[in-house]
């Protein structure tokens, strides 16, 4: 495991090196993403809520199946990123659980009511996570001042920020992401995500200069049940990773960063 802490100096990938993080909501997706060239998995539950903390059993199974990096989401519920004291205690317990299960890192994101980064409690989670790495997730896209938030997150000791540039789609947010990468000056990785696909990844890469990228590459598959109660009017589709899309993005990034 990497050792990331407040004295962390440089998180930027060396020239010609790139990373592709894939969100996985089930073990099938973990295996598809790994086989298709992903370099890291962000493990989450509840895609409808934008990703919440995966269960003990889910993390354990994923760790047993993966050789690539595994980061687990620390988010006890959907909704906003201002958490109660009880929720914070749950988050601390989950960080320790993921460390026990051998994750390479965790993904956190905590804000104050005014839209600033909750530095005190975030730092506690980073310290509990050590020596795991810590990514600050898209709570960043809800901050009141992204440039100050960047400095706060660096000071906390996170190794990476996932952001779409404070808008829903990272292509639209690419100019701001480029500014953040310039300000970061290799002190932390800025990783574009949200709406990233093979159709726009190179444009995002060129505008931002980013070296790591994040996508769900998701598709929906129909239920495998032979019997369905039509009167329930349910959509029983599940989310899985599109392996061909992951391969396509990876190949595009490989060619781009070798130029």
């Amino acid at each position: 495991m990497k050792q990331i802490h407040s004295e962390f100096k440089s998180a930027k990938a060396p020239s010609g090196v790139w990373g592709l993080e894939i969100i996985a909501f089930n073990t099938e997706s973990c295996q598809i993403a790994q086989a298709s060239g992903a370099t890291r998995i962000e493990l989450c539950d509840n895609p409808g809520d934008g990703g919440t903390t995966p269960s003990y059993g889910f993390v354990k199974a994923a760790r047993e199946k993966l050789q690539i990096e595994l980061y687990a989401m620390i988010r006890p519920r959907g909704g906003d990123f201002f958490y109660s004291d009880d929720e914070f205690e749950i988050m601390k317990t989950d960080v320790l659980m993921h460390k026990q299960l051998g994750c390479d890192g965790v993904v956190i994101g905590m804000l104050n009511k005014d839209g600033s980064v909750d530095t005190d409690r975030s730092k506690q989670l980073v310290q509990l996570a050590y020596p795991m790495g810590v990514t600050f997730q898209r709570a960043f896209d809800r901050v009141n001042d992204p440039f100050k938030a960047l400095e706060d997150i660096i000071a906390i000791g996170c190794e990476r920020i996932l952001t779409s540039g404070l808008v829903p789609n990272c292509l639209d947010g690419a100019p701001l992401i480029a500014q953040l990468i310039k300000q970061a000056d290799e002190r932390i990785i800025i990783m574009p995500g949200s709406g990233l696909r093979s159709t726009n990844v190179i444009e995002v890469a060129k505008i931002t200069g980013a070296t790591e990228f994040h996508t769900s590459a998701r598709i929906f598959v129909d239920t495998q049940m032979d019997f369905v109660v039509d009167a329930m009017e349910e959509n029983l589709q599940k989310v899985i990773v599109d392996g061909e899309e992951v391969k396509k993005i990876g190949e595009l990034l490989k060619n781009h960063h070798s130029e």
Side-chain angles (χ1 to χ4, degrees), residues 182-196:
K182 182 178 180 180
Q183 179 179 325
D185 193 25
E186 302 189 7
R187 294 174 295 160
I188 193 169
I189 296 165
I190 307 295
M191 178 171 63
S194 185
L196 190 81

Side-chain angles (χ1 to χ4, degrees), residues 143-158:
V143 298
N144 58 17
D145 183 341
F147 302 106
K148 182 180 186 303
L150 170 60
E151 297 301 327
D152 289 340
I153 293 167
I154 291 171
I156 288 165
C158 293

Side-chain angles (χ1 to χ4, degrees), residues 172-227:
D172 295 331
L176 175 59
I177 296 172
Q179 292 180 60
L180 294 167
I181 289 174
K182 182 178 180 180
Q183 179 179 325
D185 193 25
E186 302 189 7
R187 294 174 295 160
I188 193 169
I189 296 165
I190 307 295
M191 178 171 63
S194 185
L196 190 81
R197 304 292 293 188
S198 59
T199 52
N200 62 19
V201 63
I202 297 306
E203 188 175 359
V204 171
K206 287 179 177 178
I207 294 171
T208 64
T211 55
E212 292 192 9
F213 302 84
H214 170 100
T215 181
S216 66
R218 71 178 66 182
I219 54 174
F220 296 88
V221 297
D222 291 331
T223 177
Q224 299 300 300
M225 293 288 294
D226 294 323
F227 174 76

